[in-house]
Amino acid sequence: MAVALQVETILGKYRLLVDRQLRQVIDQAQEEAGLEPLAEFYGQMRYHFGWVHPDLTPAQGKPGKFLRPTLLLLAFQVCRQEAIAFSDTPPPYHLEQILPAAAAVELVHNFSLIHDDIEDSDPLRHNRPTLWKLWGQPQAINTGDGLFSLARLALSELTSHGVEAHTVLTLVRLLDSACLTLCEGQYLDMRFERQGDLSVNLYLDMIGRKTAALMRCTMEMGARLATSDQETITRLAVFGQALGLAFQLRDDLLGVWADEQELGKAPAGDIRRKKMSLPILDALESSPVKQRSRLQTIYAADGPASNAQIAEVLEIFDTNAVREHCQQRIDEAVASARQALEAITPGATGAEAWNELSALVDFLVLAPHRQV
């Protein structure tokens, strides 16, 4: 669909810039370490980003989507008054100056993915063995911690790019706070899996921390690098929070009702895996007692759900309008994001970036693809 192609074009505008900055951060850290055996430590980071094969020889895979750093760069451009330049620094900052901040949010995101794969025992990511499957959990934990440290170092690098120290300190605090919130969300996720006391409201709170908090932080960081107008900064932060929620909730919906031909994935995959996402939680709250008991029995049994059980669950979902309830939640998050964005007047050169943020909102409404 055209809207999906448009989003891919938006992400493609910044992909190589972000990819180059990430490689530079890791290369510089390895060079400063200077110890040959550490080549594998940094090689594990490169493997996770898809730049090398398991034997650490170069791979030809294309760079990641880099949604979060793209959001930071778009927020910056929406707020910025002066023309964007790639040389001869105009006040306040130009795009190349703030790339370490874009790299920092992507490094944090990937630190969380490495730890998430361990905590969820996921053997694959993007159809490749996860880091812990190749090097073991202890090394993967350590490599994830390394990415987190590199994120903070990347932020501190902003001072050498001409960004004022007090602004950098503000960004460090924002990112650290978002990381803590993310870890709170991950704790809740694992606790709910173990204790089974998850409700729709608790789930929404959990994904607000685990998924949306970093997008909120990303938008706020980009805005603060371009403006001191607190009203605009707050609106972009709200936009990021709502966008993060909408992406996750739409992913939940597609995990049950995906179109196999368009998405290349089996329908009802989240039911087969018995994933505790929004549809099953809504069903457990909205279904009559007998159906609720049946859902609990199916999800409590060992192993994946059978085809017959999937059909039964889908029938219960249909009877109780679960899909409609989930879509309503998505619509509410999308409306919140759109309202926040439409309240912002872009800077003199920010109209294009504003339109690109608007296109990301349209993507949630129109495109059939999975979360970017």
Side-chain angles (χ1 to χ4, degrees), residues 208-221:
R209 296 170 190 270
K210 181 178 176 180
T211 304
L214 186 57
M215 283 200 187
R216 179 188 183 99
C217 170
T218 293
M219 295 298 295
E220 183 170 351
M221 287 172 65

Side-chain angles (χ1 to χ4, degrees), residues 346-361:
T349 59
E352 183 177 355
W354 191 98
N355 289 333
E356 289 169 341
L357 288 174
S358 182
L360 289 173
V361 179

Side-chain angles (χ1 to χ4, degrees), residues 100-321:
V105 297
E106 186 65 18
L107 287 163
V108 162
H109 174 56
N110 282 274
F111 131 77
S112 72
L113 294 182
I114 290 173
H115 285 199
D116 214 28
D117 288 340
I118 297 167
E119 290 157 353
D120 294 343
S121 299
D122 285 335
L124 296 174
R125 178 169 291 280
H126 302 312
N127 298 315
R128 303 171 83 222
T130 47
L131 208 63
W132 71 268
K133 284 296 289 184
L134 292 177
W135 283 280
Q137 291 186 4
Q139 287 287 14
I141 291 170
N142 188 59
T143 300
D145 291 345
L147 288 181
F148 176 76
S149 300
L150 285 177
R152 301 187 92 253
L153 287 171
L155 272 185
S156 69
E157 188 69 18
L158 286 170
T159 56
S160 65
H161 285 227
V163 179
E164 295 181 346
H166 72 85
T167 299
V168 176
L169 185 61
T170 298
L171 299 185
V172 168
R173 182 172 180 81
L174 281 172
L175 191 58
D176 283 349
S177 178
C179 286
L180 179 59
T181 303
L182 186 156
C183 291
E184 291 170 353
Q186 182 66 2
Y187 165 80
L188 291 173
D189 193 8
M190 293 186 292
R191 178 186 184 276
F192 294 144
E193 285 182 2
R194 184 176 67 252
Q195 298 189 9
D197 55 351
L198 186 55
S199 66
V200 169
N201 285 338
L202 285 173
Y203 178 75
L204 293 173
D205 186 277
M206 182 267 288
I207 63 172
R209 296 170 190 270
K210 181 178 176 180
T211 304
L214 186 57
M215 283 200 187
R216 179 188 183 99
C217 170
T218 293
M219 295 298 295
E220 183 170 351
M221 287 172 65
R224 286 190 180 278
L225 282 162
T227 184
S228 58
D229 181 64
Q230 188 57 52
E231 190 172 344
T232 298
I233 292 169
T234 299
R235 284 171 175 165
L236 280 169
V238 169
F239 172 86
Q241 181 80 18
L243 192 74
L245 282 173
F247 267 111
Q248 182 58 58
L249 293 176
R250 190 172 183 282
D251 206 46
D252 287 359
L253 187 148
L254 292 173
V256 173
W257 292 284
D259 186 309
E260 184 173 12
Q261 288 184 333
E262 292 191 40
L263 293 174
K265 67 188 293 294
D270 283 357
I271 298 177
R272 188 175 300 278
R273 293 189 297 272
K274 300 178 181 177
K275 183 177 179 181
M276 296 302 289
S277 58
L278 182 64
I280 183 61
L281 295 171
D282 182 90
L284 289 170
E285 290 191 3
S286 64
S287 302
V289 173
K290 185 176 180 180
Q291 291 180 335
R292 188 182 313 147
S293 176
R294 184 60 188 147
L295 289 172
Q296 290 169 335
T297 298
I298 291 173
Y299 270 68
D302 293 334
S306 66
N307 289 338
Q309 289 172 328
I310 290 172
E312 186 176 356
V313 170
L314 286 172
E315 184 176 355
I316 294 173
F317 284 2
D318 185 55
T319 301
N320 294 282

Side-chain angles (χ1 to χ4, degrees), residues 71-94:
L71 288 173
L72 185 148
L73 297 173
L74 290 175
F76 169 78
Q77 292 180 87
V78 163
C79 298
R80 194 175 185 281
Q81 297 298 323
E82 289 76 14
I84 298 299
F86 289 88
S87 61
D88 298 329
T89 309
Y93 308 118
H94 63 74

